[in-house]
Amino acid sequence: MKAVHFGAGNIGRGFIGLLLHDAGYEVVFADVNAELIDALAASDRYTVHEVGEGAQDLVVDRYRAINSQSDAAALAAELADADVLTTAVGPNVLRFIAPHVLQALRDRSPDAAPLAVMACENAIDATSMLRAETERLAGPDEWIELERRAVFANTAVDRIVPGQPEGAGLDVTVETFSEWAIERPPFGDAPPPIPGAHFVDRLGPYIERKLFTVNTGHASTAYFGFLAGHERIAEALSDPSVAERVEQVLKETSALIVAKHGFSEEEQASYRDTILTRFRNESLPDTVERVGRQPIRKLGRRERFIAPAAELAERGMPVDGLLAGVEAALGFDVPADPESVELQERLRTDAAAAIVHEVCGVQAGHPLHDRLVETVARRTAS
């Protein structure tokens, strides 16, 4: 069995690549980072160091590495007979992966088993996004034939992979917890064998529970912690004022998850407590600046703050904590992060309503709109 994985960064090596390796796949890492790819190609193994309760060191070997930018022919050859294609590149990069997916389907024998395509990103329906971009490139006539050569399945992924210590090389430090949920229906009775993942009949509830608890909670901790002057995530949550604000945010998103997806209040409370315990893991050298980076993306309409806040507002439910999280995100002023720099410039030059419409994707007339404009206005006026 062979899996081609796009994204040889810390998440790719320390999570998806690891699980594919442990499932028995020959893993081919593809990335545009020449230095990283060269290092992988020159090495025959790396170690994933788990930290926390039940920690262990796990060795990954039997892999290859290809520069997807400079060696497209070698990548196409690997993809032509691959069983699985996965990504961990960030939702905004998926459009650059689509041409490779299209070429893989063109080169694939019509008699071969379909290629299992799974985008493992922190976004709702990321694989559907990749499929739509691939279909757009192919055009309707060609797509009628090519779509039979692949199975596109959405996934939900969860593992904290912090910024790595200086000199770590290819080794990756991760938390012990991980979850990779994959929707089963697209595969029928033959899902790909990946023991470290679990297949579910309805993925939507799991994606939103994860995104609106883990991602919303993590980002909230980063933004509230940044404004309070903390450097690390665990340190921020040890601050009672930060912890109180984060818990308010997660109580609001939990109310939505319970109301929308039918999880019991007790089940969601337990899940929420587990997430906060993970964030407090002092063995993870995770910083508020790393977790808070790319605030413009994280304030998007389908993302961790605005998506749940909009649905809660539509239901007439409280959103005070989430709006406080949005305001904190607007105060994330980190010169090393391009999106932070762009956001701060927009706050100086653009009207609050324009930011709400263009960054947050919320239009006039929506139940959240007016309060969101008021929230942004407090930052534009400061």
Side-chain angles (χ1 to χ4, degrees), residues 216-237:
T216 305
H218 218 194
S220 297
T221 304
Y223 295 137
F224 289 131
F226 176 83
L227 294 182
H230 299 295
E231 180 181 354
R232 290 191 170 193
I233 291 294
E235 172 194 337
L237 273 181

Side-chain angles (χ1 to χ4, degrees), residues 122-358:
N122 279 325
I124 297 173
D125 296 340
T127 307
S128 295
M129 294 164 54
L130 179 57
R131 175 187 176 127
E133 187 63 23
T134 306
E135 181 177 358
R136 184 189 68 79
L137 293 175
D141 293 337
E142 185 181 20
W143 188 247
I144 290 175
E145 174 62 28
L146 292 184
E147 67 175 337
R148 305 171 188 171
R149 302 180 186 181
V151 174
F152 292 84
N154 286 301
T155 79
V157 291
D158 185 8
R159 170 166 256 185
I160 296 175
V161 182
Q164 300 299 300
E166 192 72 25
L170 296 174
D171 288 1
V172 190
T173 297
V174 301
E175 67 169 333
T176 54
F177 178 93
S178 70
E179 181 179 46
W180 184 7
I182 304 170
E183 58 180 348
R184 179 189 298 275
F187 295 108
D189 296 329
I194 308 175
H198 66 274
F199 292 81
V200 298
D201 292 330
R202 293 178 60 242
L203 185 66
Y206 291 90
I207 290 180
E208 290 204 342
R209 183 174 72 163
K210 186 265 177 178
L211 182 61
F212 298 162
T213 311
V214 179
N215 296 84
T216 305
H218 218 194
S220 297
T221 304
Y223 295 137
F224 289 131
F226 176 83
L227 294 182
H230 299 295
E231 180 181 354
R232 290 191 170 193
I233 291 294
E235 172 194 337
L237 273 181
S238 69
D239 181 337
S241 65
V242 172
E244 181 180 0
R245 290 180 174 88
V246 173
E247 287 171 4
Q248 182 183 5
V249 169
L250 293 187
K251 284 180 180 178
E252 290 175 0
T253 59
S254 291
L256 174 63
I257 291 163
V258 168
K260 183 177 180 180
H261 294 302
F263 293 107
S264 69
E265 291 185 4
E266 294 77 14
E267 183 180 6
Q268 179 58 23
S270 176
Y271 181 76
R272 185 173 67 240
D273 290 344
T274 297
I275 299 309
L276 290 172
T277 298
R278 290 167 58 198
F279 294 167
R280 291 187 171 98
N281 184 348
E282 294 185 357
S283 298
L284 285 174
D286 222 352
T287 66
V288 298
E289 289 194 8
R290 188 200 75 83
V291 176
R293 65 189 175 183
Q294 299 181 321
I296 291 178
R297 176 174 69 83
K298 288 170 180 170
L299 289 171
R301 182 62 178 82
R302 290 168 57 83
E303 271 284 347
R304 58 207 73 193
F305 289 104
I306 305 304
E311 290 199 52
L312 285 165
E314 290 165 3
R315 294 168 179 261
M317 299 169 71
V319 294
D320 295 341
L322 281 161
L323 288 176
V326 169
E327 187 170 353
L330 296 171
F332 185 71
D333 188 355
V334 177
D337 178 33
E339 283 199 13
S340 173
V341 173
E342 180 183 346
L343 182 58
Q344 295 308 308
E345 178 63 21
R346 296 195 68 155
L347 289 169
R348 286 190 292 269
T349 61
D350 295 359
I355 294 173
V356 167
H357 300 162
E358 297 166 14

Side-chain angles (χ1 to χ4, degrees), residues 24-44:
Y25 288 86
E26 180 183 14
V27 179
V28 180
F29 288 106
D31 204 295
V32 298
N33 185 326
E35 182 179 355
L36 176 58
I37 287 299
D38 289 346
L40 280 167
S43 176
D44 63 355

